[in-house]
Amino acid sequence: MLASILSLLGFMLATFALGSQAEEPDVAELYAPCAACHGVSAEGDLALRAPRLNHLRPVYILAQLDKFQRGLRGGADATPAAQQMAASTALLPPAERLPDLAIYISELESSVSESTLASGDAIAGGRTFMRLCGACHGANAGGNVALNAPRLAGADDWYLLDQLHAFREGQRGRHREDRTGRQMRNMAAMLDNEQALQDVIAYIRSQAE
Ligand code: HEC
Ligand code: HEC
């Protein structure tokens, strides 16, 4: 008797699980609207200034999506690219599916995008990086989860430059509640000039993902 009740229960649970799976969109479907800008493998698209995403950890992807949704990033003072991403959060699934989406993105694969900057000196940039950046982003630019500092190795060079400019010019990291953004804004301000930006990016790009 008990055995047959248990097997009936097992059957019911199995069919319930199948039913609920059929109703929930697959995670690949959740990513489909993002692919229009970021590419099918989240490899990035320079023409749209939509960066590569698949080198990032899920925790950082989630943190940034939250900032875009809450207007901490991509608000009125931000760059047109950041405002476009803030508007694109309308395409996100409900909050409970966001972790799945972030993991899916981080597991996509593509190679590092082609270089678009020619004048950086990776050796000079490496010295600057060790002095000002490595403590948070790691000596090899691999990132540090405990400090909320993202992986930079593997990022598009044009995107790194865009973001350093945005931090320096107060278009990112300005919001009162954007604690980690403000931290990074102070660091970007310490780079002396355009050459120093390009040098530091040349160093980041010389590091394996
Ligand atoms: C209309 C084009 C567009 C669409 C659609 C779009 N994005 Fe973006 N996304 C961008 C742009 C442009 C940026 C760069 C913003 C900046 O420069 O600050 C960006 C930035 C991001 C970032 C920040 C990356 C980083 O290194 O900080 C994440 C994460 C992201 N997008 C995820 C998504 C997800 C998930 C979706 C699907 C719901 C999506 N995007 C849809 C254009 C788009
Ligand atoms: C005190 C720790 C700290 C230091 C030092 C630091 N960063 Fe950051 N950096 C962060 C954090 C935290 C973020 C994430 C900001 C956010 O949440 O919006 C970040 C973000 C960035 C981003 C944006 C990446 C992306 O995918 O959007 C770039 C580029 C960057 N840092 C470059 C640098 C460079 C270059 C230096 C050295 C001049 C540096 N950082 C020094 C903590 C730091």
Side-chain angles (χ1 to χ4, degrees):
M1 181 63 186
L2 183 63
S4 62
I5 290 177
L6 282 179
S7 69
L8 180 66
L9 201 63
F11 175 72
M12 283 167 65
L13 282 174
T15 44
F16 177 74
L18 278 176
S20 60
Q21 257 172 23
E23 282 161 32
E24 292 229 322
D26 183 60
V27 64
E29 286 175 54
L30 303 182
Y31 179 69
C34 320
C37 291
H38 291 281
V40 285
S41 304
E43 71 275 21
D45 188 329
L46 169 57
L48 300 173
R49 297 208 103 69
R52 180 184 190 194
L53 302 174
N54 64 28
H55 64 298
L56 298 170
R57 292 186 180 83
V59 64
Y60 175 79
I61 295 175
L62 287 173
Q64 296 307 307
L65 292 176
D66 181 62
K67 287 189 190 199
F68 282 118
Q69 279 185 312
R70 292 165 59 210
L72 272 60
R73 188 174 167 191
D77 298 325
T79 60
Q83 291 185 11
Q84 207 167 38
M85 180 54 217
S88 300
T89 57
L91 303 169
L92 286 170
E96 68 270 17
R97 298 299 312 272
L98 290 178
D100 285 348
L101 176 59
I103 292 168
Y104 176 82
I105 291 171
S106 71
E107 287 175 351
L108 292 170
E109 283 178 17
S110 65
S111 39
V112 177
S113 61
E114 273 174 43
S115 297
T116 65
L117 308 172
S119 65
D121 174 349
I123 295 182
R127 282 194 293 269
T128 307
F129 193 89
M130 292 312 160
R131 189 164 51 87
L132 294 177
C133 323
C136 290
H137 289 281
N140 302 319
N144 182 326
V145 175
L147 300 175
N148 308 298
R151 169 175 291 140
L152 303 173
D156 309 291
D157 60 357
W158 54 266
Y159 177 73
L160 292 169
L161 189 63
D162 279 0
Q163 297 311 304
L164 290 175
H165 276 295
F167 282 122
R168 284 160 73 86
E169 282 136 43
Q171 295 164 311
R172 181 174 171 186
R174 188 183 212 152
H175 196 287
R176 207 163 12 93
E177 292 168 45
D178 185 5
R179 192 180 53 81
T180 49
R182 285 214 318 272
Q183 218 174 26
M184 187 47 223
R185 199 179 151 195
N186 293 333
M187 295 316 302
M190 292 175 141
L191 294 168
D192 293 333
N193 50 39
E194 186 67 23
Q195 190 60 49
L197 300 187
Q198 301 228 5
D199 291 350
V200 115
I201 292 169
Y203 172 75
I204 293 167
R205 296 271 297 182
S206 72
Q207 298 303 298
E209 188 180 334

